[in-house]
């Protein structure tokens, strides 16, 4: 077993193993809280029935004729039209380019081309009973106002959510009369401030007046996340990460004191070995964090809609680690410099 002990000493020369171990654990901690955050955002979206926290509810002016395909807000968006609410929520959907795809139990969600097809399509919640659907020629259909919508998918999360009892229809499948009828529309997009301020919707160059209103906990105007436990968890993780880095970094630099002192006695400036230690420390810590964080994208099940949010959390975690490590090293180096004077 002596050879194993010798191998470990070689690997851990300069405390490399302990640095890697600490920062792997801290990286896993940051990745875990980041993943928790995006999963919470996803659960919030599912709980709101696919409406996001920025959604606006509006009724267009009935005096202006408009086509939902011509909406232009300068960014990617999803448009819903509420057809029925209650024990069964029925909505029509249209989206520009792409949208958030909820957990799919069977089949698939809508694609952009579905809205320009002659077919009528539906995605139903997993709580929708087979008796509510029509079986025909080996396919299931949902009947809405005497029109058959082919069921292309079943959606539902691992636990009960609003989407389980929701039926979503392709907006192009609605009859001409249904499309012309005014109703409650819901618009999802990252920034809808221009619409909320002007109360106008650009539809093919025509400004359509819209009446905005709030509904319960939906929408950015009234939705507020009061999850105090989430805030406390973030604070605890931040304190644990920063405290661990400070204590370990100061302790690690102190262990290099004997080598620095010998070099100083021999006439070498302490700045050179200290600089080498700093470069070594940052290289190991950065590589370890990038390795763990990068691997999380491949291992964890992250919905593409939340990639940007997750990436921002990971970047913030990296910033915390780098800044805390830098301040700890600077503090330790100042202390050693005073001892060598």
């Amino acid at each position: 077993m002596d050879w194993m002990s010798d191998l470990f000493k070689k690997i851990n020369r300069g405390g490399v193993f302990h640095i890697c171990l600490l920062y792997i654990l801290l990286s896993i901690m940051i990745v875990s809280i980041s993943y928790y955050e995006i999963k919470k955002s996803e659960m919030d979206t599912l709980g709101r029935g696919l409406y996001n926290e920025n959604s606006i509810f509006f009724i267009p002016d009935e005096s202006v004729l408009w086509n939902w395909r011509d909406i232009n807000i300068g960014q990617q968006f999803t448009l819903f039209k509420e057809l029925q609410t209650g024990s069964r929520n029925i909505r029509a959907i249209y989206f520009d380019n792409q949208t958030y795809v909820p957990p799919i139990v069977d089949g698939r969600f809508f694609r952009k081309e579905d809205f320009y097809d002659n077919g009528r399509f539906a995605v139903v919640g997993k709580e929708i009973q087979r008796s509510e659907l029509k079986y025909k020629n080996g396919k299931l259909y949902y009947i809405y106002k005497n029109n058959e919508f082919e069921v292309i998918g079943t959606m539902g999360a691992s636990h009960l959510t609003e989407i389980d009892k929701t039926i979503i229809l392709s907006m192009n499948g609605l009859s001409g009369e249904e499309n012309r009828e005014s109703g409650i529309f819901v618009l999802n997009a990252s920034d809808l401030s221009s619409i909320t301020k002007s109360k106008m919707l650009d539809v093919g160059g025509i400004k359509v007046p819209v009446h905005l209103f709030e509904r319960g906990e939906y929408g950015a105007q009234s939705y507020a996340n009061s999850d105090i436990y989430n805030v406390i968890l973030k604070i605890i993780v931040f304190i644990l990460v920063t405290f661990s880095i400070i204590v370990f970094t100061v302790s690690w630099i102190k262990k290099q004191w004997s080598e620095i002192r010998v070099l100083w006695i021999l006439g070498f400036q302490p700045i050179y070995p200290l600089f080498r230690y700093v470069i070594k420390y940052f290289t190991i810590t950065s590589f370890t964090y990038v390795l763990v964080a990068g691997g999380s994208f491949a291992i964890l099940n992250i919905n593409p809609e939340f990639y940007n949010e997750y990436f921002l959390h990971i970047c913030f975690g990296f910033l915390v680690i780098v800044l805390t490590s830098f301040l700890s090293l600077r503090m330790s180096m100042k202390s050693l410099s005073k001892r060598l004077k």
Side-chain angles (χ1 to χ4, degrees):
M1 298 297 288
D2 291 339
W3 66 272
M4 291 185 66
S5 178
D6 293 337
L7 179 63
F8 177 77
K9 287 179 180 178
K10 288 181 180 179
I11 295 175
N12 196 38
R13 184 175 296 169
V16 172
F17 177 78
H18 292 120
I19 298 173
C20 289
L21 181 61
L22 173 70
Y23 279 86
I24 284 174
L25 293 175
L26 295 179
S27 300
I28 291 174
M29 188 183 298
I30 293 173
V31 164
S32 298
I33 190 67
S34 301
Y35 186 64
Y36 166 78
E37 282 294 308
I38 62 133
K39 278 299 178 183
K40 183 177 181 301
S41 296
E42 184 171 8
M43 289 301 104
D44 287 344
T45 300
L46 295 176
R48 291 188 293 264
L50 302 186
Y51 300 157
N52 61 35
E53 60 181 349
N54 296 319
S55 296
I56 58 172
F57 291 74
F58 70 93
I59 298 175
D61 192 326
E62 295 182 4
S63 64
V64 181
L65 294 176
W66 64 290
N67 190 323
W68 41 268
R69 288 194 182 97
D70 296 329
I71 292 177
N72 178 25
I73 61 172
Q75 58 185 299
Q76 182 178 296
F77 70 88
T78 302
L79 179 70
F80 294 95
K81 182 177 184 180
E82 297 194 341
L83 305 173
Q84 176 184 311
T85 58
S87 59
R88 290 289 180 267
N89 297 320
I90 305 176
R91 298 166 185 164
I93 187 175
Y94 168 76
F95 55 83
D96 176 43
N97 194 27
Q98 60 182 7
T99 188
Y100 166 70
V101 178
I104 298 296
V105 177
D106 184 43
R108 65 174 178 87
F109 199 62
F110 297 98
R111 294 192 287 255
K112 183 179 180 180
E113 53 267 28
D114 292 332
F115 306 112
Y116 297 90
D117 220 337
N118 291 326
R120 293 185 171 96
F121 303 104
V123 174
V124 301
K126 65 181 183 181
E127 291 296 310
I128 304 301
Q129 301 299 315
R130 185 72 174 262
S131 59
E132 299 178 58
L133 306 175
K134 177 181 178 180
Y135 185 79
K136 176 182 174 182
N137 298 328
K139 296 180 179 179
L140 290 173
Y141 293 86
Y142 181 77
I143 310 300
Y144 178 74
K145 293 194 173 180
N146 298 321
N147 291 316
E148 297 179 347
F149 288 79
E150 180 187 343
V151 177
I152 58 174
T154 304
M155 57 186 176
S158 56
H159 61 283
L160 189 64
T161 63
E162 188 72 15
I163 66 169
D164 296 342
K165 60 176 184 178
T166 299
I167 299 162
I168 305 178
L169 311 176
S170 55
M171 198 169 290
N172 60 305
L174 300 179
S175 64
E177 181 182 351
E178 186 77 25
N179 262 320
R180 285 190 296 272
E181 287 180 0
S182 183
I184 298 174
F185 288 84
V186 185
L187 190 62
N188 281 4
S190 58
D191 183 12
L192 295 166
S193 56
S194 60
I195 300 174
T196 56
K197 290 177 182 177
S198 67
K199 294 182 174 54
M200 292 285 183
L201 184 64
D202 187 337
V203 182
I206 301 173
K207 296 296 183 180
V208 178
V210 293
H211 170 65
L212 303 178
F213 63 95
E214 300 178 13
R215 177 190 290 173
E217 63 178 3
Y218 296 121
Q221 298 170 352
S222 60
Y223 179 78
N225 184 359
S226 58
D227 190 356
I228 188 65
Y229 299 107
N230 189 39
V231 175
I232 293 174
L233 179 61
K234 288 181 183 178
I235 294 173
I236 291 174
V237 170
F238 178 78
I239 292 173
L240 282 174
V241 170
T242 53
F243 182 76
S244 300
I245 289 175
I246 292 171
V247 172
F248 179 83
T249 305
V250 172
S251 174
W252 182 78
I253 286 292
K254 284 182 178 179
K255 288 181 180 178
Q256 317 309 315
W257 162 250
S258 57
E259 180 181 344
I260 295 172
R261 189 170 183 278
V262 169
L263 292 172
W264 178 64
I265 292 173
L266 293 174
F268 290 95
Q269 291 294 326
I271 188 64
Y272 298 114
L274 281 173
F275 182 75
R276 179 163 53 88
Y277 290 140
V278 169
I279 295 298
K280 176 182 178 180
Y281 196 85
F282 273 117
T283 300
I284 296 172
T285 55
S286 300
F287 176 77
T288 302
Y289 185 81
V290 170
L291 185 66
V292 174
S296 69
F297 279 92
I299 297 171
L300 299 177
N301 180 25
I302 303 172
N303 191 298
E305 183 76 9
F306 297 96
Y307 271 153
N308 289 341
E309 182 180 345
Y310 182 70
F311 181 73
L312 288 175
H313 281 295
I314 292 298
C315 288
F316 179 75
F318 182 70
L319 187 64
V320 169
I321 280 183
V322 169
L323 286 178
T324 309
S325 298
F326 173 77
L327 293 174
S328 302
L329 286 169
R330 185 176 176 82
M331 183 171 58
S332 302
M333 289 168 66
K334 278 188 175 182
S335 176
L336 286 178
S337 298
K338 289 180 180 179
R339 292 175 66 180
L340 291 172
K341 289 180 179 179

